[in-house]
């Protein structure tokens, strides 16, 4: 019997490459489901922090990942609400402290293994856009289209700076560049599922591109 699997489009890349926004745009455009895998790592970090668990304790953090009680409300894809143990944490998981924590716990094999099947379960008809770091290399190695979005650290920090200023937060540009470099370094150099393009990924460097141009390139790669 030939069992067909749902279409999966993977979008990997470093923080601030525009993946999040572009994945949402693509999922809406195609009418597909969306997996924001970074949110899962953020949820593990936040859940551990809330329980007072030391993020350096791999075994305790892995247990948190295995037992994660999370609901993504499906109303409108990304602007969906995220509930952790029944409490809304949609905004809380985006704080800088949680970003750093997510990058730390994402290096633990126990955490990555605990989240693997949970991520694969998002693949459903009519299709899935999967946003992350290792979607094309590890989670969905047989995806039909693999995209890798990147941009210089400065361009990515500047985008983040504008987002945070728009939210009225005071931020230091030099600190943002430093944080982005630190996360890149950690994500790229970990032994398990490091951030790197799959061999068959289409790489798009958006440093000097407007978002519409990047989106057009993505559609061209899919069709
Ligand atoms: O994409 P986002 O910035 O929300 O991801 C938060 C962190 O989770 C990243 O810095 C990365 O360390 C980790 N992550 C990962 N693998 C994924 C998605 C995110 O390791 N597929």
């Amino acid at each position: 019997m030939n069992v067909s699997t749902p279409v999966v489009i993977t979008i990997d890349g470093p923080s601030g490459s525009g993946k999040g926004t572009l994945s949402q745009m693509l999922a809406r455009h195609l009418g597909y489901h969306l997996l924001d895998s970074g949110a899962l790592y953020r949820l593990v970090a936040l859940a551990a922090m809330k329980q007072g668990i030391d993020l350096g304790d791999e075994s305790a953090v892995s247990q948190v990942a295995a037992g994660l009680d999370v609901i993504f409300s499906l109303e409108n894809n990304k602007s969906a609400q995220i509930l952790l143990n029944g409490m809304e944490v949609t905004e809380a998981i985006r704080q800088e402290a949680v970003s750093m924590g997510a990058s730390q716990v994402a290096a633990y094999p126990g955490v990555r293994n605990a989240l693997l099947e949970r991520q694969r379960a998002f693949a459903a008809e009519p299709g899935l856009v999967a946003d992350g770091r290792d979607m094309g290399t590890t989670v969905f190695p047989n995806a039909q289209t693999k995209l890798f979005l990147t941009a210089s650290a400065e361009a990515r920090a500047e985008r983040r700076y504008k987002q945070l200023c728009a939210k009225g937060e005071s931020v230091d540009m030099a600190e943002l560049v430093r944080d982005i470099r630190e996360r890149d370094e950690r994500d790229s150099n970990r032994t398990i599922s490091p951030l790197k393009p799959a061999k068959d990924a289409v790489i798009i460097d958006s440093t000097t591109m407007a978002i519409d141009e990047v989106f057009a390139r993505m559609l061209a790669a899919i069709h």
Side-chain angles (χ1 to χ4, degrees), residues 37-38 41-42 103 106 112 132-135 183 187 190:
S37 62
Y41 291 93
R42 289 170 180 273
S103 151
R112 303 202 75 86
R133 304 288 187 292
D134 62 339
M135 298 295 101
R183 279 172 69 192
D187 291 348
R190 65 178 175 227

Side-chain angles (χ1 to χ4, degrees), residues 185-221:
E185 175 86 11
R186 198 167 12 208
D187 291 348
S188 308
N189 293 320
R190 65 178 175 227
T191 37
I192 179 162
S193 292
L195 168 67
K196 65 164 192 215
K199 285 201 185 72
D200 47 349
V202 175
I203 298 175
I204 302 174
D205 184 333
S206 70
T207 305
T208 59
M209 273 192 227
I211 194 154
D212 291 346
E213 198 181 336
V214 183
F215 192 61
R217 291 265 186 112
M218 290 167 62
L219 288 179

Side-chain angles (χ1 to χ4, degrees), residues 108-159:
Y108 299 149
V111 169
R112 303 202 75 86
N113 289 334
L115 297 181
L116 194 56
E117 288 313 315
R118 203 188 271 265
Q119 294 174 84
R120 289 186 174 148
F122 278 80
E125 298 295 347
L128 176 70
V129 174
D131 160 6
R133 304 288 187 292
D134 62 339
M135 298 295 101
T137 51
T138 306
V139 182
F140 300 107
N142 300 320
Q144 281 77 359
T145 306
K146 298 181 184 178
L147 304 171
F148 191 89
L149 295 188
T150 187
S152 69
E154 289 74 13
R156 289 184 282 128
E158 202 177 314
R159 288 172 196 164

Side-chain angles (χ1 to χ4, degrees), residues 57-104:
D57 183 344
E58 174 166 4
S59 139
V61 176
S62 300
Q63 274 180 31
V64 169
L68 204 60
D69 172 5
V70 55
I71 298 173
F72 290 90
S73 86
L74 295 173
E75 279 162 35
N76 47 3
N77 270 337
K78 182 76 173 220
S79 27
Q81 274 193 333
I82 304 178
L83 303 181
L84 176 65
N85 298 320
M87 300 251 301
E88 168 145 30
V89 294
T90 320
E91 289 288 323
I93 59 164
R94 304 289 158 198
Q95 298 160 24
E96 282 300 306
V98 179
S99 304
M100 291 309 269
S103 151
Q104 186 179 351

